[in-house]
Every structure is written in structure tokens, then in C-alpha cells.
Amino acid sequence: MLRTERQPSQGSVDVDGPPLQRRRSSITQVGIDRQGEHQDRHDDGHGTVYYQQSSNAPIFNGNNYGSINNNMCNFTINGLQFLYQHAAMGAVHESNERYPPPLCCPGTRDVVVSRVIGWYLDKNGQKKIMWVHAPLGYGKTAVAGTVKEKLDAMELDFDNPVGATFFFWRSSPERNSPARFIITLAYQLARSIPELCHHIDSVIKSKPGVVKMGLENQLIELIVKPFKCLSNLDTMPSRLVIVDGIDECINSDRESLVEKKYAEDQEVVQIRVLDLIYRLQSHHLPLSFFILSRPEAWIKRHLDSRPFRDVVEALDLYEVGDHMNDVKRFVREELSRIAESFGLEGADEEWPEEEALVQKSEGHMVYAATVIRHIDDEYGDPRQLLKDIVESSPADRPDISHSTPFYSLYELYRQIMRSCPERNRSLMMEVLGNMKASKGLRFEKSEHNAALGDLDRLSRRPPGCGVKALRPLHAVLRVGRGNERVDIDELFIHSSFKEFLETPHLSFEFAVDANNEQARLLSTMLDRMTSITTDTIGSEVEYAVVFALHNWCYYWFKGRGTFLRSKTIYLCLMNKVIALDLAACIIQTHCSLHPGLYYNRQPLFWLFDARKPSEFFVEGIKLDGCADVSSIAHKVTSHAQSCLDSAFTFMLQVTTPLSLSKIATSFLASDYPDYLHEVTSQPDWREHKLVQALATPGPNGIDLWKKVINHLYAGFDYSVHATKHNLLKHIYKVMVREKNPILESKDNRFRRDYQIDEPESESDYEGNS
């Protein structure tokens, strides 16, 4: 008889903390349970810190720091606080984002951990870099965390043997590029070695722009020079710097308003990180570097080349230690815990299928950990679940049989997927597709329960349907009790399951095509937007429609390089755009911008950032001389231009009050000039309805008018912006002619333009006006 109430075990990992924390650390042996809990506010003695959305990096409340606007107060804030503001705090060992930090189970990976610690403590060692490599699933991250914990617990004759850590992670924008790598190391080194603080503080005060310098310059200014200023450099004990997951670093450090494709420059950027580490060790500082990664060909080739060969000690985790015995110890401990928590007889006795499970794992800890999570199901019989796993035979597919060292892991994933009742399987795949397609979507709340709820409403599924559909996948996804705060883009426990879903010859009927899913989601958004008409403007609309309004534009932009290259998909979606009242949708989008929410950019940013907004739907699309595509492209461009004209004209000349928040007005004021740039490129721009509307705003459009005029003047240069100045002159002269009372207001921007009365440069102005 199974008990309905389950008790946490006493733990199986040698770390302090409550029993549940220790149990989860044990289960997450291979870095499989990375759960982020984002704090809203933190105070660590430096003052109040507010955390940015989608980032663990804080913002200190204040003004300017030197000549750089860093939202800090002044030079009274020290260099450590300044670095803290710009560091990737989610990448450090103790971060909330990595809680609980993955650790090895006691008695496992002892050989490799001892080898690393022995290398670090060897004062006669000539090689300052150790590279531990292994394929996925061998617990590299757990080894890194265990080395850190064991060194901290050792009684050495100096404090803080681990000077800094950086754990790259491809799903985190803060941790999948080296943009904050040097700053984060410098911050931690300053905390570990207090003598550095004064010298780093001096650098920050003299060069506050160092955070915007190239990484190689940051390395010199923030680490090398402060170290060189120390008088005891030659006698200072060496600190260990741990850099894990270099293969997870997949984007460059260059910021971009356009979302990058993952892995677009991974080889170049990973080699750059290695070169930064080499540069640091070449300055003969009291630092040793422990780096871990998969054995990617370019990483191995680079570390095998000169001059790395003389300074790197390589260690193949796959060849070190007894992996089968490690898995056996892990499985024995976890099965005992499960038996005890379920009230099964003989908690300490070996299960009949235990040895078979160890053999099927082939030494892959990720396989064993996934099985443990699968059978640790409060609604199931763990012994029967384990028996089903062990007795299942690999799919009879000769094309993939033993084609990968992880075929057994992938077969396990297929079996877990098949364990979902057939009647619910199509829904499970639909929700998985939504999940895979949701990257970059603007959710009101990023926690997966809320985000999946938004997708339920968008797809007209019953409330809570998405979360329920994923519950059978608790072994591979962070769903269920205790995971409520996990963001939707962090649901995958291990990257191997994500890769499994994306590879059809491995996942078979469970393959998820991200491009098709994105196209389907965009199509659903456009369907939802058909409910928006001129009559509904300003009225309250259901959240699913607002969600569609806030996300369709980004998805269209994202699809131009992927699914919109399919003629069939392109024509289908184009027809849906033409059927929309796009003008009403643009207006309603701005009316639905909530003043209390944070917007890093407005929902229609990609539309107005286009070279020509009216050509947004055809920009970058290859027409290939196809009559059908050319015809519909012409229709949608004409439709978009007409709707943009109508939307802006309406908002300037609206006769009834329009509920626009301040942030909506600000977005509109910046978008309007972007579209006017396209309008004024036409020879007859003075007759354009949009220009006429700007010259004759209605009483409810005055606030927007003022902001638009201010934006047109922003960064103004008469020698460069002759057309813009002629536009302003034309607007002013029409308003003078119409005796518009706006010109009498004190905040009228034209009052400060002493050249506004001069004639336009075109000789035909009088005729046209």
C-alpha cells in the first residue's frame, strides 16, 4: 500500500541545508535541475537593488556614474558595487538561478574530483589550465560544483581558494554570451581577494566606460592591472577560476536590437572565451583555471594547438573513474529514498530491476536520473514503472539502432512520451509545440503556469489544459509541485531532451518542428485579431486578443528567415493579414499597453524599424518571379500602407478621447517619425493625408502631436535633415494659415526654432501649398 503523504528524505549529498534541498541536489547530480527564482529586490549592504525583468543583473537606483548613464548615483558608490550592477550574477555558483547548485552524489566521481583538486594544490605544477571534457550526461557541471564545495570546506592557510566561477547556459541571455564574463570574474575576484578592491575602484572612477570596452581591454583594466598593483603578488596563493559549459556560450558579446539565432557564431565566440582565459594565465597572475565543456571539435583543436599545449592539462571524464559503479551508487541511494518515502517494504533492499537499470544506463548519469524522476511519481507505482522501463526493448529501427552512444537515453525519452495516454497524446504534442515556439513571446508573467495559461487562452483550450498535458513528462520537464516559479523557457531539465524533440530520426512520432509550430502560432494570432474592428477600438478586449496583438509582429519578423520562406505558409498568412483591419489592430495595440508593465520595446517595434514599414510584410521575402506571390505581395503592401495612414491619422484627429497611456503615447511619437520618413520620400508628400493630419490635429490628439514634433526635432541637423526641416516648415505654415491655437501654447516646440519662418528650399513650395 502506498502512502499518499510523502516525506522528504534525510538527504544524500554532503552539503548543508534542509533535507529537501539535499535530496534535490542528489537528484540533480548532472546539472539537470537548474531552477531560477528571480528576486524582485535585494539588499546586500551596498544599498537597495532592483532586478531587471528577464535578467538577474540588478539596477542601482540613482543617476549617472561619471559620463556613462548607469542608473547609479555618483563616485561615492564604489567600484565593487559598480561591477555588481553589470555582472551576470546568475552565472555564479551560489546564484538563485542555479539553485540548488548541481553536485555529485557522495561516493561518485571521486576520481576526477580528486584529480582536479590535486592539480590545483600542486605548487610545482606548470600547467595553469585544466580542461575536463565529456559528452552530455556525464555530470560535468556537478563535478565543477563539487570541486568548489570541497575546496571551500578544506582547511587551507588562506581564504577563498575558489576565486571566481562562471557557468555558461545557452537558455539564458545573460549567460549564453561572454558579454559579462570578464566583469563577473573581476567582481568575484575582488570579493575573494579584498586587496584588489581599492585598485579596481580606482580603475572604475577613472574609466567608468570600461564596462563598454572590448573584453580584451576589460581583462587588462579590471583584472591584470589591479593584480599587478599588489605588493605581495609573488607570494599570494593561487585562486581557482571555474568556467563551466564553454560549449553553452553561443552568442557574441555585441548587443543587438534584433534577436540573434542561437549558435550563429558559437565556434568563434567559444574560441574567444578560450583565448581570454589564455591571456589571463599568460600574465602569470596567482590564478589557475578549471574549464569544462563537451569535446566539440573546434574546442579540442584549439586547446591541442600551440601555445595552449604547454599550459593545458586535459582530462577525459569519460575515461576517468568507474562510471557504472557511480551510477550504481546513485541508483541504490535514490531507490532507497523512494521506497522509504512511499512506505514500501524493504526500503534498503535491492529492487529486482535495479541491476538491469544500471546496465541500461551504460554509465550515463543523465539516463539514471531521468528514470528516477520518472518513477518518483506520487500518482504511480514506482516498482511497476521501473519494471516497464527495464523490460521495454528498443524500437525496431535498424536505421538508428546503436547509431548514437545515447540511443538508450533516447529510447527512454520515447518510452516516457508513450506513457502518456493516447487520448491525450495529441494535446501533449500541441502544448509541447507551443512551448518550443514560445521563445521571445511577451508574456504578462513568465512563470510557466501563467505562460501556458496564456497559450491556452490563445488556442481556445480549457483553462489549465496546457499544464495538465505536460504532467506525464515530469521526468524531463520541470512541471508539477515545487516548480511553479520556473519560467517557460527553463522547463527542459536537460538539453538532451530538447535535442531529442528537434531530431525527427530520434524522436519519430514525437518530433517537434519549431518552424511549423511558430507558423501555426502566428496563424492563430492573426485569427484572433480578426475580432478587432474600428467599432471595437478603445473597448476592453479579451486577454487572448491582447496577447496576439502584442506578439504577432515579432513572430512575423522572426519568421522571415524561416517558415515564411515556404510559399504555402507565406501565401496563407498573407491572405490572413489582408483580411485584417490592420489600422484598427495598430490602434488597439497602443490602447492596450498597460502603464504598469515593463516594456523593453513596444510590440510593433519590428514593423516600424523596417526600412519601409509599408513593405514590412514583403521585406526579405524572395518572390522568385512567382505570379501568385508577386500579386499578393503587392496587395499586402498596399493594404499595409493604407492602414498605417489611417491608424496615425485617426490617432491625431480622433474626435473622442482615446485611452492612451503615457508609454503608448511615447511609443507612437517615436514610430510616427519612422513612418513619416517613408512618406516624405514620395514626391507629393505635402498632399499626403498623414502630413495633413499632422498639420491639423484634433483636440484629443494634441499630446501626441507635441511628442511627435519633439521627436522630429530630436538630434536635428539642418545640413543633414533638409527634408525633415521642410516637413516641419510646411506643418508650421499650414498651422499659421489655419490659425491653430496650438501655436499659442508656451510648450509649442516651434517657438524655439528661429529658422521656421524661412521658405523651403524647393522653388515650387508656393505652388504646392
Side-chain angles (χ1 to χ4, degrees):
M1 190 83 177
L2 301 183
R3 281 191 291 178
T4 54
E5 251 184 71
R6 300 169 53 199
Q7 302 297 323
S9 75
Q10 294 304 306
S12 57
V13 176
D14 53 343
V15 291
D16 294 331
L20 180 59
Q21 174 185 339
R22 295 199 300 272
R23 181 178 77 82
R24 293 181 60 203
S25 296
S26 171
I27 292 177
T28 56
Q29 143 89 10
V30 289
I32 357 186
D33 190 24
R34 306 183 182 193
Q35 177 174 336
E37 296 184 8
H38 302 285
Q39 294 180 358
D40 296 319
R41 182 171 174 171
H42 171 67
D43 191 337
D44 70 343
H46 301 319
T48 300
V49 179
Y50 295 89
Y51 282 79
Q52 308 173 61
Q53 282 196 353
S54 74
S55 173
N56 279 341
I59 298 178
F60 284 85
N61 213 24
N63 301 316
N64 291 349
Y65 191 94
S67 59
I68 305 296
N69 186 350
N70 290 304
N71 200 29
M72 296 183 66
C73 54
N74 50 46
F75 284 127
T76 60
I77 291 180
N78 65 35
L80 194 61
Q81 292 170 313
F82 186 78
L83 289 180
Y84 180 75
Q85 178 194 9
H86 294 278
M89 297 308 296
V92 304
H93 175 72
E94 302 88 354
S95 72
N96 273 335
E97 188 173 323
R98 301 185 66 253
Y99 179 83
L103 300 171
C104 300
C105 289
T108 66
R109 300 297 188 259
D110 287 346
V111 175
V112 68
V113 170
S114 297
R115 283 276 297 274
V116 175
I117 292 177
W119 160 80
Y120 164 66
L121 295 176
D122 182 5
K123 296 181 180 180
N124 298 318
Q126 299 299 313
K127 296 185 176 182
K128 293 297 183 183
I129 301 174
M130 172 172 273
W131 174 43
V132 168
H133 58 88
L136 63 82
Y138 274 87
K140 297 181 292 297
T141 300
V143 167
T146 302
V147 167
K148 165 80 166 69
E149 300 271 329
K150 285 188 176 296
L151 281 174
D152 286 345
M154 293 177 70
E155 295 184 3
L156 303 175
D157 55 0
F158 60 96
D159 295 329
N160 306 315
V162 179
T165 59
F166 198 102
F167 290 82
F168 286 103
W169 185 239
R170 70 179 55 230
S171 299
S172 167
E174 189 181 68
R175 296 165 56 194
N176 68 11
S177 93
R180 307 189 192 196
F181 177 58
I182 297 299
I183 294 170
T184 307
L185 295 187
Y187 169 76
Q188 294 176 87
L189 289 170
R191 293 293 300 268
S192 303
I193 309 172
E195 303 98 296
L196 289 173
C197 287
H198 170 71
H199 303 293
I200 290 178
D201 190 60
S202 298
V203 172
I204 296 298
K205 289 182 177 179
S206 62
K207 297 178 181 179
V210 68
V211 294
K212 296 297 183 183
M213 289 182 180
L215 300 179
E216 292 74 13
N217 297 101
Q218 289 180 4
L219 181 150
I220 297 296
E221 298 295 335
L222 294 175
I223 299 179
V224 176
K225 286 185 177 179
F227 263 110
K228 295 290 187 181
C229 291
L230 300 179
S231 58
N232 61 336
L233 190 62
D234 294 337
T235 59
M236 179 177 289
S238 179
R239 261 66 174 200
L240 184 65
V241 176
I242 300 175
V243 183
D244 176 61
I246 290 179
D247 53 284
E248 300 279 330
C249 182
I250 56 179
N251 279 324
S252 71
D253 64 317
R254 292 174 177 82
E255 294 181 2
S256 173
L257 292 177
V258 177
E259 180 172 317
K260 297 179 178 182
K261 298 175 185 176
Y262 273 168
E264 64 174 358
D265 49 5
Q266 63 174 8
E267 294 186 27
V268 173
V269 73
Q270 288 168 21
I271 287 175
R272 188 182 185 193
V273 171
L274 294 174
D275 286 341
L276 288 168
I277 293 171
Y278 178 82
R279 286 193 183 204
L280 264 177
Q281 71 81 33
S282 69
H283 287 279
H284 305 292
L285 306 177
L287 297 174
S288 301
F289 300 89
F290 175 35
I291 61 179
L292 306 96
S293 76
R294 295 187 192 182
E296 305 292 6
W298 53 91
I299 294 178
K300 187 176 188 305
R301 185 168 55 247
H302 200 60
L303 292 177
D304 284 344
S305 67
R306 294 179 183 274
F308 277 93
R309 194 181 309 157
D310 297 330
V311 297
V312 175
E313 180 171 334
L315 186 62
D316 187 344
L317 182 57
Y318 184 80
E319 296 179 352
V320 176
D322 186 346
H323 300 296
M324 293 296 288
N325 190 55
D326 286 348
V327 170
K328 186 172 185 176
R329 292 179 67 103
F330 170 74
V331 168
R332 176 85 293 275
E333 183 173 318
E334 289 301 307
L335 291 182
S336 295
R337 176 187 60 77
I338 290 173
E340 182 180 350
S341 65
F342 276 84
L344 302 176
E345 294 181 4
D348 295 328
E349 295 177 5
E350 195 168 296
W351 294 27
E353 295 81 14
E354 187 169 330
E355 183 59 31
L357 168 59
V358 173
Q359 294 304 316
K360 289 194 75 168
S361 75
E362 297 184 318
H364 297 141
M365 192 66 75
V366 65
Y367 180 96
T370 304
V371 171
I372 293 299
R373 281 195 305 273
H374 179 66
I375 70 173
D376 192 9
D377 182 1
E378 60 187 324
Y379 302 107
D381 179 346
R383 284 182 169 164
Q384 184 60 48
L385 289 171
L386 179 59
K387 184 177 181 180
D388 293 342
I389 290 288
V390 168
E391 292 182 353
S392 68
S393 58
D396 186 16
R397 290 289 297 270
D399 55 324
I400 66 133
S401 181
H402 298 266
S403 62
T404 164
F406 302 102
Y407 77 92
S408 57
L409 176 64
Y410 297 138
E411 176 56 29
L412 173 63
Y413 289 159
R414 288 189 288 271
Q415 187 173 354
I416 290 171
M417 301 281 278
R418 292 184 187 118
S419 68
C420 176
E422 282 197 40
R423 65 181 182 277
N424 298 328
R425 203 171 292 173
S426 61
L427 175 61
M428 177 185 73
M429 294 308 300
E430 179 184 331
V431 176
L432 272 176
N434 285 174
M435 232 181 74
K436 285 290 294 176
S438 66
K439 181 170 178 56
L441 289 182
R442 187 191 302 266
F443 295 103
E444 191 169 7
K445 294 181 180 179
S446 60
E447 289 85 356
H448 73 276
N449 283 356
L452 289 171
D454 291 345
L455 293 170
D456 284 343
R457 285 187 277 181
L458 180 69
S459 302
R460 291 188 168 92
R461 294 190 293 256
C465 195
V467 173
K468 290 178 183 177
L470 297 182
R471 280 180 184 167
L473 304 180
H474 65 273
V476 289
L477 299 176
R478 294 187 184 94
V479 292
R481 193 174 302 168
N483 291 300
E484 290 81 6
R485 297 195 62 188
V486 177
D487 286 356
I488 190 168
D489 56 356
E490 292 288 340
L491 278 180
F492 290 96
I493 293 176
H494 199 272
S495 58
S496 60
F497 182 61
K498 186 185 297 185
E499 293 168 4
F500 163 81
L501 292 176
E502 294 169 348
T503 311
H505 75 269
L506 297 176
S507 47
F508 305 162
E509 70 270 29
F510 302 112
V512 176
D513 187 317
N515 289 337
N516 288 342
E517 296 301 332
Q518 289 166 4
R520 185 179 297 127
L521 207 56
L522 176 57
S523 179
T524 303
M525 292 177 192
L526 297 177
D527 289 340
R528 282 297 208 161
M529 290 162 59
T530 57
S531 64
I532 301 298
T533 65
T534 305
D535 295 334
T536 65
I537 290 174
S539 61
E540 188 173 345
V541 297
E542 60 176 310
Y543 178 74
V545 178
V546 174
F547 182 79
L549 290 171
H550 285 196
N551 287 286
W552 75 268
C553 189
Y554 164 74
Y555 249 53
W556 191 282
F557 168 80
K558 187 176 182 180
R560 293 192 307 195
T562 52
F563 58 83
L564 285 175
R565 291 187 176 181
S566 163
K567 178 184 172 183
T568 303
I569 294 175
Y570 181 68
L571 290 175
C572 175
L573 294 179
M574 282 290 216
N575 282 315
K576 291 195 174 192
V577 171
I578 291 172
L580 288 176
D581 186 342
L582 194 57
C585 289
I586 292 171
I587 298 167
Q588 187 64 50
T589 298
H590 290 89
C591 289
S592 63
L593 292 177
H594 195 287
L597 293 180
Y598 167 78
Y599 296 93
N600 58 343
R601 58 175 65 98
Q602 75 115 320
L604 301 180
F605 166 83
W606 294 271
L607 172 62
F608 296 108
D609 192 52
R611 185 172 56 86
K612 287 187 176 182
S614 65
E615 297 181 0
F616 169 75
F617 296 99
V618 299
E619 189 175 298
I621 302 297
K622 294 182 179 180
L623 303 181
D624 295 327
C626 176
D628 290 347
V629 176
S630 298
S631 174
I632 201 167
H634 176 75
K635 288 180 182 178
V636 79
T637 299
S638 176
H639 177 63
Q641 183 171 5
S642 174
C643 290
L644 285 165
D645 295 344
S646 299
F648 281 121
T649 299
F650 178 90
M651 285 184 279
L652 276 169
Q653 296 185 326
V654 61
T655 55
T656 56
L658 195 62
S659 55
L660 291 174
S661 63
K662 288 184 179 180
I663 190 169
T665 305
S666 296
F667 282 148
L668 275 168
S670 62
D671 294 338
Y672 203 127
D674 288 337
Y675 184 50
L676 278 172
H677 179 72
E678 178 180 347
V679 169
T680 54
S681 66
Q682 304 169 13
D684 57 346
W685 60 265
R686 293 184 187 84
E687 306 302 322
H688 197 284
K689 63 187 292 187
L690 204 54
V691 174
Q692 294 176 6
L694 197 55
T696 56
N700 292 300
I702 292 176
D703 288 343
L704 176 59
W705 178 88
K706 289 179 179 179
K707 284 186 174 291
V708 170
I709 296 299
N710 285 335
H711 268 273
L712 286 171
Y713 271 110
F716 196 82
D717 184 340
Y718 292 114
S719 63
V720 177
H721 301 290
T723 302
K724 187 188 288 188
H725 196 218
N726 283 342
L727 170 65
L728 288 165
K729 286 181 180 179
H730 176 75
I731 293 168
Y732 174 75
K733 291 186 178 182
V734 172
M735 296 184 80
V736 169
R737 188 176 66 223
E738 298 294 328
K739 298 181 180 179
N740 195 303
I742 296 177
L743 297 179
E744 302 301 321
S745 62
K746 292 183 179 180
D747 58 350
N748 163 31
R749 182 64 178 80
F750 291 134
R751 285 176 174 268
R752 288 179 277 162
D753 186 351
Y754 299 107
Q755 302 184 44
I756 197 67
D757 285 318
E758 293 180 358
E760 292 188 53
S761 57
E762 291 87 350
S763 58
D764 61 345
Y765 169 71
E766 293 297 331
N768 285 339
S769 63

